């Protein structure tokens, strides 16, 4: 009686690992870090666009000549088409972060397909760019996700570390959290919007602190001998 119980528990544990760990390869390969022998970093921003935050972030990136990747939410792209086009025009990589930021791991094949295909369609129609990369909301996936990412020819992205900037700690704290976690090849997860607030109207979804932290994050990384590279370079 005990053995099947343990086996079931292990299988459930394995599936949970696949569903919740953003870098678990259980549901297909995930890129979670660049080469560890190079002092390169990769900046990524999720959940936008949100104009008052995304715009100044684009300004900072342009001024500092830093490439980044933006994993856009389709609903936010539709709300802020000009800002979505601005991200694309700046030459940053654009990724699909679903249409409405639903947690995918508990959804069936139809709903998963609608989220991924919907986000893809929103981005293509509005920016003219065809996304080649996907990042799941919270990193949560299941086998249906893999099926659609394969159909779309996507690479699936994870991240090396995040700093809970969505909790809106002060900019200096966001900066400090990034500084202490820097390591070669790190893919850094930050947020320029709120996946659950595509219109960008709630204070809860405000990412101004991330925006304010960015110049310091770049300065700290460079002072430590790192350079920022594009995710596209990493995926080639
Ligand atoms: Zn997200």
């Amino acid at each position: 009686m005990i053995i099947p119980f343990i086996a079931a528990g292990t299988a459930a544990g394995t599936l949970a690992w696949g569903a919740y760990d953003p870098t678990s390869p259980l549901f297909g390969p995930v890129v979670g870090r660049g080469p560890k022998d190079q002092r390169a970093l990769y900046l990524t921003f999720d959940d936008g666009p949100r104009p008052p935050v995304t715009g100044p972030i684009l300004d900072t990136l342009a001024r500092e000549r830093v490439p980044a990747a933006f994993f856009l939410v389709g609903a936010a792209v539709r709300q802020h088409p000009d800002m979505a086009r601005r991200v694309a025009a700046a030459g940053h990589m654009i990724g699909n972060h679903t249409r409405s930021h639903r947690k995918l791991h508990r959804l069936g094949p139809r709903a998963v397909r609608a989220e991924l295909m919907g986000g893809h369609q929103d981005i293509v129609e509005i920016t003219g760019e065809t996304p080649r990369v996907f990042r799941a909301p919270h990193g949560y996936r299941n086998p249906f996700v893999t099926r659609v990412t394969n159909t779309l020819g996507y690479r699936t992205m994870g991240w090396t570390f995040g700093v809970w900037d969505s909790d809106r700690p002060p900019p200096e704290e966001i900066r400090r959290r990034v500084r202490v976690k820097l390591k070669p090849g790190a893919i850094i997860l930050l947020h320029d919007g709120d996946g659950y607030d595509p219109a960008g109207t709630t204070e809860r979804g405000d990412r101004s602190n991330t925006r304010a932290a960015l110049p310091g994050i770049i300065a700290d990384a460079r002072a430590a001998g790192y350079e920022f590279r594009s995710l596209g370079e990493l995926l080639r």
Side-chain angles (χ1 to χ4, degrees):
M1 280 309 284
I2 292 172
I3 289 167
F5 181 74
I6 292 171
T10 306
T14 304
L15 285 171
W17 169 67
Y20 292 107
D21 181 341
T23 57
S24 161
L26 187 64
F27 303 131
V30 181
V31 181
R33 188 174 173 182
K36 297 173 187 174
D37 60 348
Q38 294 170 31
R39 282 185 94 73
L41 299 169
Y42 305 87
L43 273 182
T44 66
F45 295 91
D46 282 13
D47 299 353
R50 179 171 174 129
V53 176
T54 310
I57 284 176
L58 290 173
D59 294 340
T60 299
L61 295 174
R63 190 174 60 242
E64 299 294 335
R65 297 175 183 277
V66 168
F70 289 79
F71 290 87
L72 306 178
V73 173
V77 167
R78 292 212 172 270
Q79 289 274 344
H80 311 290
D82 289 342
M83 188 52 63
R85 283 191 278 267
R86 217 191 122 188
V87 175
H92 299 296
M93 176 175 269
I94 287 189
N96 181 350
H97 196 45
T98 73
R99 172 168 270 174
S100 55
H101 209 265
R102 294 181 71 189
K103 292 176 179 141
L104 301 175
H105 62 308
R106 291 176 196 274
L107 298 183
R110 280 187 60 185
V112 164
R113 194 177 165 79
E115 277 294 312
L116 269 74
M117 291 290 190
H120 184 87
Q121 192 185 333
D122 296 333
I123 291 168
V124 171
E125 276 178 25
I126 290 182
T127 71
E129 292 263 331
T130 302
R132 300 285 178 213
V133 289
F134 168 75
R135 181 181 268 163
H138 310 276
Y140 300 166
R141 292 175 297 134
N142 66 21
F144 309 126
V145 175
T146 318
R147 205 181 293 167
V148 185
T149 54
N150 286 343
T151 303
L152 290 167
Y154 279 163
R155 300 285 294 275
T156 299
M157 299 303 304
W159 57 89
T160 310
F161 67 83
V163 295
W164 295 278
D165 60 317
S166 297
D167 295 341
R168 296 184 293 139
E172 280 306 309
E173 174 62 11
I174 295 175
R175 177 179 177 176
R176 187 194 66 80
R177 289 181 189 177
V178 173
R179 184 173 62 237
V180 299
K181 288 185 166 184
L182 291 177
K183 55 182 171 183
I187 297 171
I188 303 170
L189 168 64
L190 294 168
H191 297 84
D192 65 327
D194 180 341
Y196 303 102
D197 175 23
T201 50
T202 67
E203 194 190 340
R204 205 190 127 266
D206 186 13
R207 302 290 170 255
S208 297
N209 290 356
T210 300
R211 176 199 74 200
L214 185 59
I217 288 171
I218 294 170
D220 289 345
R222 285 178 168 159
Y226 288 97
E227 65 170 2
F228 291 95
R229 293 195 194 151
S230 78
L231 216 49
E233 198 178 315
L234 173 61
L235 295 173
R236 266 200 292 276

